Amino acid sequence: MASNSDNPAGADRPVVTRFAPSPTGFLHIGNARTGLFSWLYARHHGGKALLRIEDTDKKRSTQEAIDVILDGLEWLGLEFDGEPVYQSQRADRHAEVAMKLLDAGQAYKCFATPEELAEMREQQRAAKQPMRYDGRWRDRDPSEAPEGAPFVVRIKTPEGGETVIEDAVQGRVKVDNREIDDFILLRADGSPTYMLAVVVDDMDMGCTHIIRGDDHLNNAFRQLQVIRAMQGIEDGWDEPVYAHIPLIHGNDGAKLSKRHGALGVRDYREMGILPETLFNYLLRLGWGHGDKEEFTREEAIALFDLAGVNKGPSRFDMKKLLNMNGNYIRQADDARLAAIAAKQIGPQADVDLLTKAMPVLKTRARDMNELADGAAFLFKTRPLEMTEKAASLLDDEARARLSQISARLQGESDWTIEALEANLKAYAEELELGLGKLAQPLRAALTGQTTSPGIFDVLVLLGKEESLARIDAQAQTSTASVNETG
Ligand code: GLU
């Protein structure tokens, strides 16, 4: 049973959360984590997880930038309820709210000119006062403005007292109301400000919980003023529960930025991280449940709560992510991994063979690119391209041994790891050589590389015919020329 302990609003209302990314060209992993937390919270409480695309910046909000967000969420398996809400399509409603506030005397027209405001700020700067709008039109009659002068609509915020938020993560936070100036709701061209749009959308979407990055905590104090001012005007403006999640920092303790490496969900996908890894990593980055490290989707839904969210910033640790990815790769279904690897390898890849090889391949890889690289030998065509290191192993002595190995393996009817191992061990003993010494040139001949899965696994995966053909291709190079001249 889901608990309501951190759901004060949920006593009488079903939980509705929202994730509200702005299209920027990529889905920042910090944002993705906020989305994950919002989604998990709603799922945990059997509520609704809504998605709102904050696409009011027309230049940045291209379809491509929006698709990056939608693709990233889909890849992470975060399915939101209903269609996404597009903020840009709701400008009329935002303006309507501003007009209602104006009519009710909760907002007012401000005719201050840009020059006037610049001067006001300059004076505040000189007097070392905080820079905020001084309310000069708050009590003035609009008729005092010149005929047809442009105006903005500003909210009337309380002049005294304080605004308190019982944040579900940060605890009790408050500001002196004098710090909240009469901010703009509608610009002179009639377009809504971000501060207005966010809160109107949150309320119209019926959000009970606003879970987002703590860089928005200051906005919450302002957005609350709009909510409170609207309470006497329209129904449905109930204060939501706020939960402001500390940001992610890099391993040096500074706020995560480009210089720390990849920031976008898509980057991690391209690095060969599995979606379940990133899901779990982002979950654990800032939330914990005892010392449990890995959660299935179902466990995460069953256990997620806001009480478990850390109050301090979390540190992104690439090494930990890669180790976790290795664990998830080893647990993942072979056919699924084979399908992902096949895409990376290209049309020559054979999914069935990859699936068969997967138990061997996946024990080594920490990401899907490494895994695909490790599998590539299976699909090489003869003559194999050799790495420089591999080529250097194939001197005349080694090639002569490969001829011997070929002859022995030709007669091997039991093409299994055990039989092949017994066979080559016997040969190594005859030569009074370690098996490793024998395996090195053999690996070079079979894979063109000096690293690969275990040599007997390689032989079995390639099969007798292909193995012998690859060995012979290397073994014959020197002997063939001897035969021809002899
Ligand atoms: N669109 C904002 C962002 O991407 C989030 C706004 C909010 O969550 O209130 O940072």
Side-chain angles (χ1 to χ4, degrees), residues 224-436:
L224 256 184
Q225 309 309 328
V226 180
I227 294 175
R228 290 180 181 165
M230 278 302 288
Q231 278 172 349
I233 301 174
E234 276 185 4
D235 286 340
W237 288 73
D238 298 321
E239 286 182 25
V241 174
Y242 287 102
H244 288 94
I245 314 289
L247 296 182
I248 302 175
H249 287 188
N251 50 11
D252 57 357
K255 191 181 150 195
L256 197 65
S257 71
K258 280 231 167 77
R259 77 192 157 80
H260 292 108
L263 292 180
V265 166
R266 187 172 278 182
D267 298 326
Y268 287 90
R269 181 180 186 171
E270 282 167 8
M271 276 191 259
I273 302 296
L274 290 177
E276 60 266 41
T277 309
L278 199 59
F279 180 102
N280 190 71
Y281 187 75
L282 292 178
L283 172 65
R284 290 287 295 106
L285 197 61
W287 178 82
H289 185 83
D291 48 18
K292 191 171 161 62
E293 277 295 337
E294 288 183 9
F295 297 80
T296 62
R297 185 168 297 264
E298 292 68 33
E299 286 171 332
I301 291 171
L303 296 172
F304 187 78
D305 55 4
L306 293 173
V309 174
N310 301 337
K311 292 189 176 28
S314 42
R315 286 193 184 205
F316 195 85
D317 181 346
M318 192 62 202
K319 226 167 116 190
K320 193 168 165 199
L321 175 68
L322 280 173
N323 284 335
M324 196 181 269
N325 201 43
N327 289 343
Y328 275 108
I329 287 177
R330 283 184 283 287
Q331 292 165 39
D333 175 70
D334 292 338
R336 173 179 162 228
L337 292 175
I340 300 173
K343 259 200 210 129
Q344 270 158 279
I345 293 169
Q348 73 274 29
D350 168 349
V351 181
D352 290 340
L353 178 54
L354 272 172
T355 308
K356 204 173 125 206
M358 210 42 79
V360 168
L361 295 170
K362 73 183 187 183
T363 57
R364 311 160 59 91
R366 288 201 303 169
D367 66 64
M368 290 307 295
N369 296 333
E370 212 175 289
L371 193 148
D373 286 348
F377 77 88
L378 290 170
F379 310 105
K380 284 186 175 170
T381 48
R382 293 186 306 270
L384 258 59
E385 215 180 289
M386 293 275 150
T387 65
E388 214 173 292
K389 249 172 135 184
S392 74
L393 289 175
L394 295 173
D395 57 14
D396 281 349
E397 191 185 19
R399 288 179 195 279
R401 280 190 196 134
L402 285 178
S403 298
Q404 292 295 317
I405 291 175
S406 170
R408 294 180 71 104
L409 295 187
Q410 197 77 56
E412 182 59 71
S413 54
D414 185 11
W415 203 260
T416 59
I417 291 184
E418 298 72 29
L420 291 165
E421 188 170 354
N423 190 322
L424 290 186
K425 257 196 181 144
Y427 181 44
E429 270 162 31
E430 264 174 42
L431 296 173
E432 294 182 12
L433 270 181
L435 188 58

Side-chain angles (χ1 to χ4, degrees), residues 113-178:
T113 63
E115 296 74 30
E116 210 184 311
L117 293 174
E119 197 189 311
M120 175 193 80
R121 277 189 219 106
E122 196 40 58
Q123 282 168 2
Q124 288 170 340
R125 200 195 325 263
K128 296 208 163 38
Q129 286 168 348
M131 277 185 279
R132 51 178 86 110
Y133 176 71
D134 60 4
R136 58 185 61 198
W137 277 93
R138 188 174 166 118
D139 298 315
R140 271 174 83 178
D141 196 300
S143 66
E144 290 176 36
E147 196 49 42
F151 62 89
V152 300
V153 176
R154 291 183 183 269
I155 186 162
K156 246 183 215 173
T157 57
E159 287 174 302
E162 52 186 26
T163 300
V164 180
I165 292 177
E166 302 288 349
D167 191 280
V169 173
Q170 311 278 335
R172 166 176 283 230
V173 272
K174 53 186 179 184
V175 296
D176 188 320
N177 284 339
R178 281 171 303 186

Side-chain angles (χ1 to χ4, degrees), residues 18-22 31 34 52 54 87 194 198 202 210-213 215-216 219 223:
R18 54 45 158 203
F19 174 45
S22 308
N31 255 334
T34 306
R52 179 170 77 236
E54 303 213 311
Q87 190 159 65
Y194 166 74
V198 167
D202 284 346
I210 307 297
I211 301 171
R212 61 186 173 192
D215 48 338
H216 289 286
N219 293 341
Q223 289 161 7

